[in-house]
């Protein structure tokens, strides 16, 4: 099954893909094309490229996950593709361990965004 990562701009992307043989997890990073700043490319990846990849993952009965936490740029993907029960459990654990939300500010856990201000 092929996945076209080109958007209307026609710019090529570079992929860094690796995984775990034992559990079948695949990690992917979509890298900016040569000569394009990564910061300028990030919004396009978040809004156009990543949803296409996760749509394919869902069609193949895969799952959306984040082993070490979830940054703010993935919140909308987690809401769309993530597990609701898992999100609720993470939020409950976060509430117990960090009721003032001072650990890992600016990151997303459960249904909360830890605001550093």
């Amino acid at each position: 099954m092929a996945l076209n990562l080109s958007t209307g701009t026609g710019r090529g992307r570079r992929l860094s893909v690796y995984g775990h043989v034992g559990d079948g997890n695949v990690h992917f990073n979509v890298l900016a094309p040569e000569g394009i700043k990564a910061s300028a490319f990030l919004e396009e990846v978040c809004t156009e490229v990543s949803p296409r990849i996760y749509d394919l993952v869902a069609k193949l009965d895969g799952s959306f996950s984040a082993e070490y936490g979830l940054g703010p740029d993935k919140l909308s993907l987690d809401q769309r593709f993530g597990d609701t029960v898992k999100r609720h459990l993470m939020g409950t654990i976060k509430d117990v361990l960090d009721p003032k939300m001072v650990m890992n500010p600016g990151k997303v856990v459960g249904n909360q965004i830890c605001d550093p201000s």
Side-chain angles (χ1 to χ4, degrees):
M1 181 174 281
L3 175 65
N4 181 356
L5 296 180
S6 295
T7 61
T9 61
R11 297 184 295 176
R13 281 106 178 114
R14 298 174 298 143
L15 296 178
S16 171
V17 182
Y18 49 95
H20 308 247
V21 174
D23 62 14
N25 284 340
V26 176
H27 301 271
F28 75 92
N29 292 300
V30 182
L31 308 174
E34 294 288 334
I36 303 292
K37 284 188 171 186
S39 58
F41 186 65
L42 180 62
E43 182 178 346
E44 185 175 341
V45 168
C46 290
T47 60
E48 295 185 38
V49 178
S50 289
R52 290 180 189 187
I53 291 170
Y54 290 116
D55 278 336
L56 176 60
V57 168
K59 287 177 186 172
L60 296 172
D61 292 325
S63 62
F64 174 86
S65 66
E67 290 177 55
Y68 304 109
L70 188 61
D73 58 318
K74 298 285 192 216
L75 178 59
S76 64
L77 291 170
D78 183 48
Q79 294 295 322
R80 182 172 169 191
F81 297 105
D83 183 298
T84 304
V85 172
K86 181 178 172 182
R87 199 168 34 252
H88 175 74
L89 288 172
M90 288 189 318
T92 301
I93 292 168
K94 176 71 172 175
D95 287 343
V96 170
L97 297 176
D98 186 18
K100 295 184 180 180
M101 308 215 19
V102 295
M103 294 188 285
N104 208 12
K107 303 299 183 275
V108 177
V109 177
N111 289 324
Q112 307 158 335
I113 297 177
C114 304
D115 186 355
S117 56

